[in-house]
């Protein structure tokens, strides 16, 4: 009796050990199948056979412990059938777990087939020793539920749980196989105690010496050794794979932010770098979507396009602004790779991100600086004349305002130096000082008179800035200019008006003091000449009277300068006035062989003036032009009506230098051999009284241009 108990105990322990090893080996082999290892079909069959055979050996040895096999009616074919059916149901269970989408309802399908596998092995095994079975329905239901719950829990922990519990990851498989072993043993004992096959006799002889006992034990030892060897081989294979995976994961963890999500976007795995940058812990992230780090920066269409791309199985790449738990923002360069099942449908996604916050901030700062430069350039282009030159003074870039004011195209300016607009107004020493200043890396400021492509002059207030490289050498210059032509004209006009005001004040006093005694002198001279009979002395009196008349005419001109305004102004046609003056000067023009060109777009231009005084102005200017030309030149008169009435009188005469131009209009200054210089001064005064302006341009041997402007008559 004691030997029988020992023998039963050994069989019971062996059955438990074999079932545990079979379950552990089966789960390890199936993990390789799920991870996509090579020879997955062979591994699937091996895991299926291991589990089914484990159930059968447990059931077989359990019956032996209960002396069931000590019967002459033992049917081997039925026993083999029970083994095959158990293996088939195990295969169906594992097939249900071939689920890359991680649909959790498959846990219960697999648990159901594992339960059927265990129960079918036991029940069909009973038929191998009896023609029929008497069983307890309640015990059968309890066994089914116990097995179903145990298998469901083990499958979930082994293949579907995402969060790590208290049990270390390396012990999960062993723990789950232990759970399966325990519930199987309990179910087996429950079924054995409440189920009895009909038609067998309980023989208590030395059944453990029978042939079938030793045969099963021998086979069991072989299977146990094979399972242990297979398990060792699998462990070694997995160990090598784990090292590779660990190395790859470590490399990714050191360089990238890695996140796994299911096909619904639920986070199933995050690495430490994600925790570090997001400031969340792992429990706060697992089971959530990426809305937890949404910064609200991107519009909904951005994420719709993202999901549309990966939903089709395509890889998405882009930059995303996320928000950490503490509210801080960070940029990540993101690649989202969908994992596809056999049907080509994504079942999970892996996001590999790289922190580019610092790079993005620098990029944004750079964009802001670029925009600031663009704005500054736009402002300068709208207000100033801009030109870049290299260190040798060759123009490398100009803006539209430079082209507009100079009359040259950009192609005509690029590659040239500023001699192309040199007016020859400034002496060589002027530009030598300019170049010496900027070549030393200093900023130069001053006023320059330039010449357009058509030959007209313009003044620019200029600032030239040298650009210095890292070697403290000048490599280019930036010239910023502002058109001050009108300012220079205004200054000249104001200067002339000041001179006219001073002369007018002088004229008022001089004319009064000279005219009265001059009248007396003229009267006495005429009286004395009446009694003079000597012809030679009479000629002297005539000379005296001519000089007195000349002085009197000068006094008359002074009197004109002393008058502040013209008494009455009337609206008159401008073109007929000019044509009348030209007809008066026709003989002198033909005598000097001067050609006159009168150009106007609109003939009927009215001007508010004193007609005789305005004629005097045109007579003075045109006569001066004729005398400056000498013989065989051209006088061009242009009349335009814009915001003002503009009249230019341009000759091809000898011109004037800048010193003569400065003195022009001063009393008793003239460039002619005869004359007193008061004619121009009187003309300037008349123009001023007509609310007009006059500006003069001249260059030696290139002629003189008078620019007149008058208000438009309303």
């Amino acid at each position: 009796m004691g030997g029988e108990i020992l023998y039963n105990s050994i069989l019971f322990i062996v059955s438990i050990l074999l079932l545990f090893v079979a379950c552990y080996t089966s789960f390890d082999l199936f993990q390789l199948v799920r991870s996509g290892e090579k020879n997955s079909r062979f591994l699937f069959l091996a895991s299926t056979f291991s589990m089914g055979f484990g159930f059968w050996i447990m059931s077989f040895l359990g019956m032996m412990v209960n002396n069931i096999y000590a019967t002459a009616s033992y049917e081997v074919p039925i026993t083999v059938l029970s083994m095959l059916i158990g293996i088939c149901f195990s295969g169906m269970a594992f097939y249900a777990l071939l689920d890359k989408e991680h649909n959790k309802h498959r846990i219960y399908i697999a648990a159901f087939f594992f339960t059927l596998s265990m129960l079918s092995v036991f029940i069909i095994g009973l038929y191998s020793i009896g023609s029929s079975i008497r069983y307890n329905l309640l015990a059968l239901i309890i066994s089914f539920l116990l097995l179903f719950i145990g298998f469901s829990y083990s499958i979930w922990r082994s293949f579907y749980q995402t969060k790590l519990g208290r049990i270390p990851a390396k012990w999960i498989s062993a723990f789950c196989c232990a759970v399966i072993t325990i519930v199987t043993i309990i179910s087996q004992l429950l079924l054995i105690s409440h189920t009895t096959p009909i038609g067998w006799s309980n023989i208590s002889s030395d059944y453990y010496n029978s042939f079938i006992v030793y045969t099963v034990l021998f086979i069991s030892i072989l299977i146990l050794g094979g399972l242990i060897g297979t398990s060792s081989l699998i462990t070694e294979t997995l160990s090598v794979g784990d090292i590779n995976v660990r190395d790859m994961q470590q490399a990714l963890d050191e360089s990238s932010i890695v996140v796994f999500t299911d096909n619904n976007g639920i986070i199933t795995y995050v690495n430490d770098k994600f925790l570090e940058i997001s400031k969340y812990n792992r429990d706060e992230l697992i089971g959530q979507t990426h809305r937890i780090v949404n910064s609200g920066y991107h519009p909904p269409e951005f994420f719709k396009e993202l999901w549309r791309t990966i939903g089709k199985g395509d890889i998405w790449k882009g930059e995303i602004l996320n928000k950490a738990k503490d509210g801080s923002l960070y940029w990540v360069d993101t690649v989202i790779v969908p994992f596809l099942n056999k049907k080509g449908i994504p079942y999970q996604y892996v996001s590999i991100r790289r922190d580019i916050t610092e790079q993005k901030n620098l990029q944004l700062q750079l964009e802001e600086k670029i925009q600031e430069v663009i704005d500054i350039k736009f402002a300068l282009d709208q207000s100033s004349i801009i030109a870049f030159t290299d260190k040798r003074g060759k123009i490398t870039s100009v803006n539209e305002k430079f082209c507009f004011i100079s009359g040259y195209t950009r192609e005509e300016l690029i590659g040239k130096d500023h001699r192309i607009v040199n007016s020859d107004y400034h002496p060589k020493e002027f530009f030598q000082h300019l170049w010496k200043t900027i070549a030393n890396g200093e900023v130069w400021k001053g006023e320059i008179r330039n010449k357009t492509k058509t030959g007209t002059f313009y003044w620019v207030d200029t600032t030239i800035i040298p650009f210095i490289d890292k070697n403290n050498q000048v490599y280019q210059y930036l010239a910023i200019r502002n058109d001050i032509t009108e300012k220079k004209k205004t200054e000249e006009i104001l200067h002339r008006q000041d001179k006219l005001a001073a002369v007018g004040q002088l004229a008022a006093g001089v004319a009064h003091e000279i005219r009265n005694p001059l009248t007396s002198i003229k009267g006495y001279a005429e009286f004395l000449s009446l009694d003079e009979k000597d012809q030679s002395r009479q000629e002297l009196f005539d000379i005296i009277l001519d000089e007195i008349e000349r002085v009197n005419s000068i006094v008359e001109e002074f009197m004109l300068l002393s008058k502040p305004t013209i008494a009455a102004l009337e609206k008159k046609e401008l073109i007929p006035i000019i044509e009348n003056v030209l007809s008066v000067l026709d003989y002198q023009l033909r005598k000097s062989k001067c050609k006159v060109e009168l150009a106007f777009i609109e003939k009927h231009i009215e001007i508010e003036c004193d007609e005789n005084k305005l004629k005097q102005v045109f007579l003075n200017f045109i006569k001066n032009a004729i005398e400056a030309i000498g013989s065989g030149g051209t006088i061009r008169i242009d009349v335009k009506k814009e915001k003002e009435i503009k009249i230019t009188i341009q000759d091809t005469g000898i011109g004037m230098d800048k010193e003569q131009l400065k003195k022009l209009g001063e009393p008793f200054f003239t460039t002619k051999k005869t004359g007193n210089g008061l004619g121009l001064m009187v003309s300037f005064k008349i123009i001023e009284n007509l609310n007009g302006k006059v500006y003069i341009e001249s260059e030696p041997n290139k002629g003189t241009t008078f620019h007149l402007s008058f208000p438009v008559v309303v």
Side-chain angles (χ1 to χ4, degrees):
M1 186 66 181
E4 183 179 338
I5 294 173
L6 177 62
Y7 185 74
N8 289 343
S9 299
I10 292 172
L11 288 179
F12 185 71
I13 293 171
V14 169
S15 66
I16 293 173
L17 181 61
L18 285 175
L19 179 60
F20 177 81
V21 172
C23 290
Y24 188 86
T25 303
S26 180
F27 272 33
D28 279 355
L29 290 170
F30 190 69
Q31 284 285 14
L32 292 176
V33 175
R34 285 174 61 90
S35 63
E37 287 288 334
K38 296 179 179 180
N39 301 317
S40 57
R41 292 184 179 180
F42 171 77
L43 294 172
F44 179 82
L45 292 174
S47 60
T48 299
F49 176 81
S50 179
M51 183 65 78
F53 183 78
F55 290 156
W56 179 83
I57 202 68
M58 178 66 190
S59 177
F60 180 82
L61 294 180
M63 293 180 187
M64 289 183 64
V65 170
N66 210 29
N67 296 334
I68 291 177
Y69 288 104
T71 176
S73 62
Y74 181 76
E75 297 288 342
V76 175
I78 296 178
T79 301
V80 173
L81 177 64
S82 69
M83 181 191 301
L84 293 176
I85 291 176
I87 292 172
C88 288
F89 277 127
S90 295
M92 295 172 69
F94 279 125
Y95 184 79
L97 295 178
L98 290 175
D99 169 38
K100 292 185 178 181
E101 289 88 351
H102 293 279
N103 294 322
K104 293 184 178 180
H105 70 273
R106 294 192 175 231
I107 295 173
Y108 309 112
I109 296 174
F112 175 76
F113 282 117
F114 278 133
T115 302
L116 288 182
S117 176
M118 180 62 210
L119 291 177
S120 63
V121 167
F122 177 78
I123 293 173
I124 295 175
L126 289 178
Y127 278 102
S128 66
I129 56 175
S131 58
S132 62
I133 302 172
R134 183 173 61 248
Y135 56 88
N136 187 305
L137 181 61
L138 179 60
L140 187 61
I141 293 173
I142 293 174
S143 297
F144 179 88
L145 293 175
L146 184 62
L147 290 169
F148 183 79
I149 293 170
F151 281 122
S152 298
Y153 175 78
S154 299
I155 293 169
W156 171 69
R157 289 300 300 268
S158 297
F159 304 118
Y160 287 87
Q161 188 184 24
T162 55
K163 293 184 180 181
L164 296 176
R166 296 181 180 179
I167 303 173
K170 63 182 180 179
W171 294 106
I172 290 293
S173 294
F175 173 75
C176 292
C177 291
V179 170
I180 292 175
T181 302
I182 292 171
V183 298
T184 302
I185 292 171
I186 295 173
S187 175
Q188 183 89 351
L189 294 175
L190 183 63
L191 289 172
I192 288 175
S193 61
H194 291 84
T195 305
T196 304
I198 301 173
W200 69 283
S201 59
N202 190 5
I203 303 172
S204 59
S205 62
D206 294 336
Y207 60 89
Y208 46 85
N209 290 322
S210 64
F211 172 77
I212 192 170
V213 172
Y214 289 111
T215 301
V216 171
L217 286 175
F218 178 73
I219 294 173
S220 299
I221 292 171
L222 289 178
I223 293 174
L224 179 60
L227 291 175
I228 293 173
T230 304
S231 179
S232 299
L233 180 61
I234 292 172
T235 301
E236 182 180 353
T237 304
L238 289 176
S239 177
V240 173
D242 288 343
I243 291 173
N244 293 333
V245 171
R246 185 173 65 251
D247 291 342
M248 293 174 61
Q249 183 175 356
Q250 184 178 1
L252 278 175
D253 287 343
E254 289 298 323
S255 61
S256 304
I257 303 160
V258 181
V259 182
F260 283 83
T261 64
D262 62 16
N263 59 343
N264 295 316
I266 304 298
I267 297 173
T268 57
Y269 168 81
V270 294
N271 69 343
D272 293 337
K273 212 166 185 65
F274 193 1
L275 306 180
E276 177 184 343
I277 197 170
S278 69
K279 307 294 192 302
Y280 288 97
N281 59 48
R282 188 168 272 103
D283 291 335
E284 290 174 317
L285 292 171
I286 300 299
Q288 302 293 328
T289 66
H290 278 85
R291 292 189 185 95
I292 194 172
V293 291
N294 188 0
S295 64
Y297 174 82
H298 304 282
E301 293 75 17
F302 177 85
F303 293 105
K304 287 180 181 178
E305 178 60 28
L306 185 156
W307 275 101
R308 189 179 299 114
T309 301
I310 62 177
K312 294 187 299 183
D314 297 331
I315 296 174
W316 184 89
K317 297 179 181 180
E319 296 177 352
I320 302 177
L321 179 64
N322 286 337
K323 183 170 67 175
K325 185 178 181 181
D326 61 1
S328 60
L329 301 176
Y330 62 94
W331 282 91
V332 284
D333 184 30
T334 304
V335 177
I336 302 177
V337 182
F339 286 9
L340 309 179
N341 59 18
K342 293 180 179 179
K343 297 180 180 179
I345 300 174
Y347 65 89
Q348 73 172 0
Y349 306 99
V350 58
S351 301
I352 302 173
R353 300 179 173 92
R354 182 171 55 89
D355 182 11
I356 57 169
T357 305
E358 184 176 353
Q359 172 186 336
K360 198 70 176 179
N361 290 336
L362 290 175
Q363 180 182 342
L364 292 174
Q365 291 176 10
L366 180 60
E367 289 175 356
E368 290 175 359
K369 292 296 182 184
I370 291 174
Q371 186 59 47
E372 184 178 343
V373 171
I374 291 173
D375 293 341
I376 292 173
K377 183 179 182 299
F378 176 78
L380 284 173
D381 285 342
Q382 295 301 310
S383 62
S384 302
I385 303 160
I386 306 296
F388 282 90
T389 64
D390 61 17
K391 61 183 179 181
R392 297 173 298 173
K394 298 295 183 182
I395 299 172
T396 57
S397 176
V398 294
N399 67 345
E400 289 295 334
K401 212 168 184 69
F402 194 142
C403 298
F404 176 77
I405 196 169
S406 69
Y408 290 97
T409 64
R410 183 173 277 105
E411 291 74 17
E412 290 174 318
L413 292 169
I414 300 298
K416 304 290 194 305
D417 57 30
H418 279 84
R419 292 190 187 96
I420 194 173
V421 291
N422 188 3
S423 65
D424 295 325
Y425 176 82
H426 305 280
K428 292 182 179 179
E429 294 76 18
F430 178 85
F431 292 105
Q432 287 174 355
H433 177 262
L434 183 157
W435 273 103
K436 182 178 179 181
T437 302
I438 62 177
N440 290 330
E442 300 175 8
V443 176
W444 184 89
K445 295 182 180 180
E447 295 179 351
I448 302 177
R449 191 179 84 161
N450 287 336
K451 184 171 65 175
T452 67
K453 186 177 181 179
T454 58
T456 59
F457 301 103
Y458 63 95
W459 281 88
V460 284
D461 182 28
T462 304
T463 300
I464 302 178
I465 305 165
F467 285 12
I468 311 297
D469 61 18
K470 62 181 179 180
N471 297 321
N472 205 31
Q473 298 295 318
V474 176
Y475 67 92
Q476 73 172 358
Y477 301 100
L478 168 63
I480 303 173
R481 303 177 176 91
N482 290 298
D483 183 11
I484 57 169
T485 305
E486 291 300 323
K487 175 187 173 185
K488 296 294 285 187
K489 290 180 181 180
T490 303
E491 287 177 354
E492 183 179 334
I493 291 168
L494 291 174
H495 178 65
R496 188 176 296 116
Q497 288 175 344
D498 289 341
K499 289 193 291 184
L500 286 173
V503 171
Q505 291 176 358
L506 175 64
V510 171
H512 177 74
E513 295 297 329
I514 293 177
R515 198 169 190 181
N516 290 335
L518 191 63
T519 302
S520 299
I521 293 171
K522 181 180 179 182
Y524 285 120
E526 288 176 345
F527 177 75
L528 291 173
S529 68
L530 293 175
D531 297 331
E532 185 60 53
K533 303 299 182 181
D534 188 345
Q535 185 63 32
S536 60
R537 292 175 65 87
Q538 184 64 42
E539 290 178 357
L540 292 175
F541 276 112
D542 291 340
I543 292 172
I544 291 172
L545 290 172
D546 288 341
E547 290 301 315
I548 290 173
E549 188 63 33
R550 182 169 176 269
V551 172
N552 190 52
S553 67
I554 292 173
V555 171
E556 287 291 336
E557 290 181 341
F558 267 117
M559 291 299 292
L560 286 173
L561 293 173
S562 66
K563 295 179 181 179
T565 58
I566 296 175
L569 302 179
E570 297 177 347
K571 291 182 180 180
K572 295 291 182 178
E573 291 278 349
L574 178 59
I575 301 301
I577 291 174
I578 298 174
E579 289 175 340
N580 181 262
V581 171
L582 292 175
S583 66
V584 171
L585 296 172
D586 181 64
Y587 173 75
Q588 191 173 351
L589 288 167
R590 284 189 285 109
K591 182 180 177 182
S592 301
K593 298 180 181 179
C594 289
K595 181 182 178 182
V596 177
E597 297 177 355
L598 176 60
F600 52 85
I601 298 176
E602 185 178 348
K603 183 174 179 63
H604 301 288
I605 301 175
E606 289 188 337
I607 185 171
E608 196 170 36
C609 66
D610 182 327
E611 184 175 352
N612 291 328
K613 296 297 182 184
L614 188 57
K615 285 180 180 180
Q616 183 180 349
V617 170
F618 290 133
L619 279 169
N620 278 331
F621 288 169
I622 296 172
K623 282 178 68 177
N624 284 341
I626 294 171
E627 292 173 2
I629 290 172
S631 177
T634 302
I635 300 172
R636 179 175 177 84
I637 304 172
D638 285 295
V639 182
K640 296 179 181 178
K641 182 180 178 182
E642 297 172 347
K643 293 182 179 179
E644 295 179 312
I645 298 172
K646 294 184 178 181
I647 306 164
T648 60
I649 302 173
Q650 183 179 15
D651 65 57
T652 57
I654 59 175
M656 294 174 283
D657 60 31
K658 58 184 178 181
E659 294 300 325
Q660 291 174 322
L661 198 60
K662 287 181 180 179
K663 294 180 180 180
L664 195 65
E666 292 183 358
F668 309 109
F669 173 78
T670 180
T671 59
K672 298 183 290 185
K673 294 180 180 180
T674 60
N676 52 34
L678 292 175
L680 280 180
M681 182 165 281
V682 170
S683 297
F684 293 160
K685 183 63 177 179
I686 293 171
I687 293 170
E688 180 185 350
N689 291 337
L690 294 176
N691 299 317
K693 298 176 184 178
V694 60
Y695 172 71
I696 305 168
E697 286 183 329
S698 186
E699 194 172 355
N701 302 318
K702 293 187 178 180
T704 302
T705 304
F706 286 83
H707 298 271
L708 288 76
S709 61
F710 297 96
V712 174
V713 177
V714 179

